[in-house]
Coordinates of all heavy atoms in Angstrom, one line a residue:
S991 N 12.8 18.6 -7.3 CA 11.8 19.5 -6.8 C 12.4 20.7 -6.0 O 13.4 20.4 -5.2 CB 10.7 18.9 -5.9 OG 9.9 18.0 -6.7
L992 N 12.1 21.9 -6.2 CA 12.4 23.0 -5.4 C 11.6 23.2 -4.3 O 10.4 23.4 -4.4 CB 12.4 24.3 -6.3 CG 13.0 25.7 -5.6 CD1 14.6 25.4 -5.4 CD2 12.8 26.8 -6.5
L993 N 12.2 22.9 -3.1 CA 11.3 23.0 -1.8 C 11.6 24.1 -0.9 O 12.8 24.6 -0.9 CB 11.5 21.7 -1.1 CG 11.2 20.5 -1.9 CD1 11.5 19.1 -1.0 CD2 9.7 20.4 -2.3
P994 N 10.7 24.6 0.0 CA 11.0 25.7 0.9 C 11.9 25.3 2.0 O 11.4 25.1 3.2 CB 9.5 26.1 1.3 CG 8.8 24.7 1.3 CD 9.3 24.1 0.1
A995 N 13.2 25.4 1.7 CA 14.1 24.8 2.7 C 14.2 25.7 4.0 O 14.3 25.2 5.1 CB 15.6 24.8 2.0
N996 N 14.1 27.0 3.7 CA 14.2 27.8 5.0 C 13.0 27.7 5.9 O 13.2 27.8 7.1 CB 14.3 29.4 4.6 CG 15.7 29.7 4.0 OD1 16.6 29.0 4.0 ND2 15.9 31.0 3.6
Y997 N 12.0 27.5 5.3 CA 10.6 27.1 6.1 C 10.8 25.9 6.9 O 10.5 25.8 8.1 CB 9.4 27.1 5.2 CG 8.2 26.8 5.9 CD1 7.3 27.7 6.3 CD2 7.8 25.4 6.1 CE1 6.2 27.4 7.0 CE2 6.6 25.1 6.6 CZ 5.8 26.0 7.1 OH 4.7 25.7 7.9
M998 N 11.5 24.9 6.3 CA 11.6 23.6 6.8 C 12.7 23.8 8.1 O 12.5 23.1 9.2 CB 12.2 22.6 5.9 CG 11.1 22.2 4.8 SD 11.9 21.2 3.6 CE 12.5 19.8 4.5
V999 N 13.6 24.6 7.8 CA 14.7 24.9 8.9 C 14.0 25.5 10.1 O 14.1 25.1 11.3 CB 15.9 25.7 8.4 CG1 16.8 26.2 9.6 CG2 16.7 24.9 7.4
R1000 N 13.3 26.6 9.8 CA 12.7 27.4 10.8 C 11.6 26.6 11.6 O 11.2 27.0 12.8 CB 12.1 28.7 10.3 CG 13.2 29.6 9.8 CD 12.6 30.8 9.1 NE 13.7 31.6 8.7 CZ 13.7 32.2 7.4 NH1 12.8 32.0 6.5 NH2 14.7 33.0 7.1
H1001 N 11.0 25.6 11.0 CA 9.9 24.9 11.6 C 10.4 23.5 12.1 O 9.5 22.7 12.5 CB 8.7 24.8 10.8 CG 7.9 26.1 10.6 ND1 8.5 27.1 9.7 CD2 6.9 26.7 11.2 CE1 7.7 28.1 9.8 NE2 6.7 27.9 10.6
E1002 N 11.6 23.1 11.9 CA 12.2 21.9 12.1 C 11.3 20.7 11.6 O 10.9 19.8 12.4 CB 12.4 21.6 13.6 CG 13.5 22.6 14.2 CD 13.9 22.2 15.6 OE1 13.3 21.4 16.2 OE2 14.8 22.8 16.0
V1003 N 11.0 20.8 10.3 CA 10.3 19.7 9.6 C 11.3 18.6 9.3 O 12.3 18.8 8.7 CB 9.6 20.3 8.4 CG1 9.0 19.1 7.6 CG2 8.5 21.3 8.8
T1004 N 10.9 17.4 9.6 CA 11.7 16.2 9.3 C 11.2 15.7 8.0 O 10.0 15.5 7.8 CB 11.6 15.1 10.3 OG1 12.1 15.7 11.5 CG2 12.3 13.9 9.9
L1005 N 12.2 15.7 7.0 CA 11.9 15.1 5.6 C 12.5 13.8 5.5 O 13.7 13.8 5.6 CB 12.4 16.2 4.6 CG 11.9 16.0 3.2 CD1 10.3 16.1 3.0 CD2 12.6 17.0 2.2
V1006 N 11.8 12.8 5.2 CA 12.3 11.5 5.1 C 11.8 10.8 3.7 O 10.7 11.0 3.4 CB 12.1 10.7 6.2 CG1 10.5 10.5 6.5 CG2 12.6 9.3 6.1
G1007 N 12.7 10.1 3.1 CA 12.3 9.4 1.9 C 11.8 7.9 2.3 O 12.2 7.4 3.3
S1008 N 11.0 7.4 1.5 CA 10.5 6.0 1.7 C 10.6 5.2 0.4 O 9.8 5.6 -0.5 CB 9.1 6.1 2.2 OG 8.5 4.7 2.4
F1009 N 11.5 4.3 0.4 CA 11.8 3.5 -0.9 C 11.4 2.1 -0.7 O 12.0 1.4 0.1 CB 13.2 3.7 -1.3 CG 13.5 3.0 -2.4 CD1 13.1 3.3 -3.8 CD2 14.4 1.8 -2.5 CE1 13.4 2.7 -4.9 CE2 14.6 1.0 -3.5 CZ 14.1 1.5 -4.8
T1010 N 10.5 1.6 -1.4 CA 10.1 0.2 -1.4 C 9.9 -0.3 0.0 O 9.0 0.2 0.6 CB 11.1 -0.8 -2.3 OG1 12.3 -0.7 -1.6 CG2 11.1 -0.3 -3.7
Y1011 N 10.5 -1.4 0.4 CA 10.2 -2.2 1.6 C 11.3 -3.0 1.9 O 12.1 -3.5 1.1 CB 8.9 -2.9 1.4 CG 8.8 -3.5 0.0 CD1 9.5 -4.6 -0.5 CD2 8.1 -2.8 -1.0 CE1 9.6 -5.0 -1.8 CE2 8.1 -3.2 -2.3 CZ 8.8 -4.3 -2.7 OH 8.8 -4.7 -4.0
T1012 N 11.4 -3.5 3.2 CA 12.3 -4.6 3.5 C 11.5 -6.0 3.4 O 10.3 -6.0 3.3 CB 12.7 -4.4 5.0 OG1 11.6 -4.6 6.0 CG2 13.4 -3.0 5.3
P1013 N 12.3 -7.0 3.5 CA 11.6 -8.3 3.5 C 10.6 -8.4 4.7 O 9.5 -9.0 4.5 CB 12.8 -9.3 3.7 CG 13.9 -8.7 3.1 CD 13.8 -7.2 3.5
D1014 N 10.8 -7.9 5.8 CA 9.9 -7.9 6.9 C 8.6 -7.1 6.5 O 7.6 -7.5 7.0 CB 10.6 -7.4 8.2 CG 11.5 -8.2 8.9 OD1 11.5 -9.5 8.5 OD2 12.3 -7.8 9.6
D1015 N 8.8 -6.0 5.8 CA 7.6 -5.3 5.5 C 6.8 -6.0 4.6 O 5.6 -6.0 4.6 CB 8.0 -3.9 4.7 CG 8.8 -3.0 5.7 OD1 8.4 -2.9 6.9 OD2 9.7 -2.3 5.2
F1016 N 7.4 -6.7 3.6 CA 6.7 -7.6 2.6 C 6.0 -8.6 3.3 O 4.7 -8.9 3.0 CB 7.7 -8.2 1.6 CG 7.1 -8.7 0.5 CD1 6.9 -7.9 -0.7 CD2 6.7 -10.0 0.3 CE1 6.2 -8.3 -1.9 CE2 6.1 -10.6 -0.8 CZ 6.0 -9.6 -1.9
K1017 N 6.5 -9.4 4.3 CA 5.9 -10.4 5.0 C 4.7 -9.8 5.8 O 3.6 -10.4 5.9 CB 6.8 -11.1 6.0 CG 6.2 -12.1 6.9 CD 5.5 -13.2 6.1 CE 5.2 -14.4 7.0 NZ 4.2 -14.0 8.0
H1018 N 4.9 -8.7 6.4 CA 3.8 -8.0 7.2 C 2.6 -7.7 6.2 O 1.5 -7.8 6.5 CB 4.3 -6.7 8.0 CG 3.3 -6.1 8.8 ND1 2.5 -6.7 9.6 CD2 2.9 -4.7 8.8 CE1 1.7 -5.8 10.2 NE2 1.9 -4.7 9.7
A1019 N 3.0 -7.1 5.0 CA 1.9 -6.8 4.1 C 1.1 -8.1 3.7 O -0.2 -8.1 3.6 CB 2.6 -6.2 2.8
L1020 N 1.8 -9.3 3.5 CA 1.1 -10.4 3.2 C 0.2 -10.9 4.3 O -0.9 -11.3 4.2 CB 2.1 -11.6 2.8 CG 1.6 -13.0 2.5 CD1 0.5 -12.9 1.4 CD2 2.7 -14.0 2.2
D1021 N 0.6 -10.7 5.7 CA -0.2 -10.9 6.8 C -1.5 -10.1 6.8 O -2.5 -10.6 7.1 CB 0.7 -10.8 8.1 CG 1.8 -11.7 8.2 OD1 1.7 -12.9 7.5 OD2 2.7 -11.6 8.9
L1022 N -1.2 -8.8 6.4 CA -2.4 -7.9 6.4 C -3.4 -8.4 5.3 O -4.7 -8.3 5.6 CB -2.0 -6.5 6.1 CG -1.1 -5.8 7.2 CD1 -0.9 -4.4 6.8 CD2 -1.9 -5.8 8.6
L1023 N -2.9 -8.8 4.3 CA -3.9 -9.3 3.2 C -4.6 -10.6 3.7 O -5.8 -10.7 3.5 CB -3.2 -9.7 1.9 CG -2.7 -8.4 1.2 CD1 -1.6 -8.9 0.1 CD2 -3.9 -7.8 0.4
V1024 N -3.9 -11.5 4.4 CA -4.5 -12.7 4.9 C -5.6 -12.2 6.0 O -6.7 -12.9 6.0 CB -3.5 -13.6 5.6 CG1 -4.1 -14.7 6.2 CG2 -2.5 -14.1 4.4
Q1025 N -5.4 -11.2 6.8 CA -6.3 -10.8 7.8 C -7.5 -10.0 7.2 O -8.4 -9.6 7.9 CB -5.5 -9.9 8.7 CG -4.5 -10.7 9.5 CD -3.5 -9.8 10.3 OE1 -3.7 -8.6 10.4 NE2 -2.4 -10.3 10.6
G1026 N -7.3 -9.6 5.8 CA -8.4 -8.9 5.2 C -8.4 -7.5 5.2 O -9.5 -6.8 5.0
H1027 N -7.3 -6.9 5.6 CA -7.2 -5.4 5.6 C -7.3 -4.8 4.2 O -7.8 -3.5 4.2 CB -5.9 -5.0 6.3 CG -5.9 -5.2 7.8 ND1 -6.4 -4.4 8.7 CD2 -5.4 -6.3 8.5 CE1 -6.3 -4.8 10.0 NE2 -5.6 -6.0 9.8
V1028 N -6.9 -5.4 3.2 CA -7.1 -5.1 1.8 C -7.8 -6.1 0.9 O -7.1 -7.2 1.1 CB -5.8 -4.5 1.2 CG1 -6.0 -4.2 -0.3 CG2 -5.2 -3.3 1.9
K1029 N -8.7 -5.9 0.4 CA -9.5 -6.9 -0.5 C -9.6 -6.4 -2.0 O -9.9 -5.3 -2.2 CB -10.8 -7.2 0.0 CG -10.8 -7.7 1.5 CD -12.2 -8.0 2.0 CE -12.1 -8.6 3.5 NZ -13.5 -8.9 4.0
P1030 N -9.3 -7.3 -2.9 CA -9.4 -6.8 -4.4 C -10.9 -6.8 -4.8 O -11.5 -7.7 -5.6 CB -8.7 -8.0 -5.1 CG -8.9 -9.3 -4.2 CD -9.0 -8.6 -2.8
S1031 N -11.7 -5.8 -4.3 CA -13.1 -5.7 -4.6 C -13.3 -4.8 -5.9 O -12.4 -4.0 -6.3 CB -13.8 -5.1 -3.5 OG -13.3 -3.9 -3.1
A1032 N -14.5 -4.9 -6.5 CA -14.7 -4.3 -7.8 C -14.9 -2.8 -7.7 O -14.8 -2.1 -8.7 CB -16.0 -4.9 -8.4
D1033 N -14.9 -2.3 -6.5 CA -15.2 -0.8 -6.3 C -14.0 -0.1 -6.6 O -14.0 1.2 -6.8 CB -15.8 -0.5 -5.0 CG -14.9 -0.9 -3.9 OD1 -14.1 -1.9 -4.0 OD2 -15.1 -0.4 -2.8
W1034 N -12.8 -0.7 -6.6 CA -11.4 -0.1 -6.7 C -10.6 -0.8 -7.7 O -9.6 -0.3 -8.2 CB -10.8 0.3 -5.4 CG -10.1 -1.0 -4.9 CD1 -10.7 -2.1 -4.2 CD2 -8.7 -1.3 -4.8 NE1 -9.9 -2.9 -3.7 CE2 -8.6 -2.5 -4.1 CE3 -7.6 -0.7 -5.2 CZ2 -7.4 -3.0 -3.8 CZ3 -6.4 -1.2 -5.0 CH2 -6.3 -2.4 -4.3
L1035 N -10.8 -2.1 -8.0 CA -9.9 -3.0 -8.8 C -10.7 -3.6 -10.0 O -11.7 -4.2 -9.8 CB -9.2 -4.0 -7.9 CG -8.1 -4.9 -8.5 CD1 -7.0 -5.2 -7.4 CD2 -8.8 -6.1 -8.9

């Protein structure tokens, strides 16, 4: 992608990539499912 680099420099925008997850992230996600933060309901799945 061609991005507005000068704009980012002048506004000190932090650009960070996010790729997959760590094992700790995966365990945390499983905990959130157990706690009911995401449910496989028919309105979206």
Side-chain angles (χ1 to χ4, degrees):
S991 295
L992 183 64
L993 300 177
N996 284 356
Y997 178 90
M998 294 170 59
V999 170
R1000 294 178 181 129
H1001 292 81
E1002 291 195 351
V1003 173
T1004 298
L1005 189 67
V1006 59
S1008 177
F1009 178 71
T1010 62
Y1011 36 78
T1012 67
D1014 286 343
D1015 295 325
F1016 195 88
K1017 176 60 169 60
H1018 183 49
L1020 181 56
D1021 290 341
L1022 292 182
L1023 285 163
V1024 172
Q1025 295 163 17
H1027 288 277
V1028 173
K1029 298 179 181 179
S1031 55
D1033 58 340
W1034 75 285
L1035 181 148

